[in-house]
């Protein structure tokens, strides 16, 4: 296999003069063709904050590289970015919530306190949190396209990164040939406000369908 690895170096806060540089890992799985198509696929993970490059070792199972290169870009702030915006206490508390050992008001207060503490720790270490936005990441994507010399490319996003790809389409449409959107999170949707309602809607659809199906309703 032919795999190239490196970093995209970009400004932390694109609208702040004198901001520091941050480094975003990039992996390129080269096509099996000697002369691949001129427009590669760029993939990014969801989250926000999910790592795109973590655990990536091989491109043997990637169908895209039969005819074009496949590129991975780590989101700013994600696990292998420099800096990585890690909040381990929040992850630990979510584990306690998932296990049922922390519930209700106590869980809410503990998570809020952990978030505030993590914010203080990150800002005191020099992180400019105002630079970590979907628009900034969309500009990172465009900078990578230009740095690699592609006229156009194809974007693949899943969950939160579909919002990134839609933001690229708004800000830099000329560089996009096509887009694959898997489990779309539109820019106008606030996930934290609607996720619970969407879950209840899906469950009610299942229960309503069961109620009008004789075998299902009798089994329940």
């Amino acid at each position: 296999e032919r795999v190239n690895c490196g970093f995209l170096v970009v400004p932390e806060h694109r609208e702040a003069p004198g901001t520091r540089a941050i480094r975003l890992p990039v992996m390129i799985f080269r096509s099996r063709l000697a002369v691949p198509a001129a427009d590669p696929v760029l993939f990014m993970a969801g989250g926000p904050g999910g790592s795109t490059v973590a655990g990536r070792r091989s491109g043997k199972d990637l169908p895209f590289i039969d005819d074009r290169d496949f590129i991975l870009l780590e989101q700013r702030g994600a696990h292998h970015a420099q800096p990585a915006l890690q909040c381990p206490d929040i992850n630990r508390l979510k584990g306690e919530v998932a296990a049922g050992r922390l519930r209700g008001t106590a869980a809410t207060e503990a998570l809020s306190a952990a978030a505030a503490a993590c914010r203080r720790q990150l800002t005191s270490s020099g992180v400019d949190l105002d630079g970590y936005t979907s628009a900034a990441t969309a500009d990172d994507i465009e900078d990578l396209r230009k740095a690699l010399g592609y006229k156009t490319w194809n974007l693949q996003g899943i969950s939160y990164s579909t919002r990134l790809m839609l933001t690229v389409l708004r800000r830099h449409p000329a560089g996009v040939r096509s887009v694959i959107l898997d489990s779309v999170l539109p820019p106008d949707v606030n996930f934290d406000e609607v996720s619970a309602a969407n879950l209840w809607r899906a469950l009610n659809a299942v229960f309503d369908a069961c109620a009008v199906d004789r075998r299902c309703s009798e089994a329940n």
Side-chain angles (χ1 to χ4, degrees), residues 108-136:
T108 301
E109 291 177 351
L111 285 167
S112 297
C118 186
R119 186 184 193 282
R120 289 193 298 270
Q121 186 276 324
L122 291 172
T123 54
S124 65
S125 69
V127 174
D128 187 344
L129 293 174
D130 289 338
Y132 293 81
T133 66
S134 297

Side-chain angles (χ1 to χ4, degrees), residues 42-60:
L42 171 78
F43 171 77
M44 294 182 72
S51 177
T52 303
V53 303
R56 295 280 186 167
R57 298 291 184 270
S58 172
K60 290 180 179 179

Side-chain angles (χ1 to χ4, degrees), residues 9-44:
V9 181
V10 293
E12 183 173 45
H13 190 169
R14 289 178 172 273
E15 299 178 4
T19 189
R20 67 176 176 176
I22 61 175
R23 291 157 59 88
L24 309 178
V26 178
M27 297 182 71
I28 305 176
F29 292 91
R30 296 298 182 181
S31 174
R32 299 182 180 97
L33 291 182
V35 183
D39 52 304
V41 173
L42 171 78
F43 171 77
M44 294 182 72

Side-chain angles (χ1 to χ4, degrees), residues 94-176:
K94 286 185 175 180
E96 293 293 299
V97 172
R101 292 187 292 266
L102 186 63
R103 299 181 178 183
T105 302
T108 301
E109 291 177 351
L111 285 167
S112 297
C118 186
R119 186 184 193 282
R120 289 193 298 270
Q121 186 276 324
L122 291 172
T123 54
S124 65
S125 69
V127 174
D128 187 344
L129 293 174
D130 289 338
Y132 293 81
T133 66
S134 297
T137 302
D139 292 348
D140 296 339
I141 293 170
E142 175 68 359
D143 282 354
L144 180 61
R145 182 188 68 82
K146 292 178 178 178
L148 295 177
Y150 297 114
K151 182 178 180 181
T152 62
W153 58 4
N154 308 281
L155 305 178
Q156 182 187 13
I158 182 169
S159 190
Y160 165 71
S161 66
T162 63
R163 175 174 293 190
L164 295 178
M165 304 317 177
L166 291 170
T167 306
V168 174
L169 281 174
R170 288 182 171 186
R171 297 173 70 86
H172 310 288
V176 180

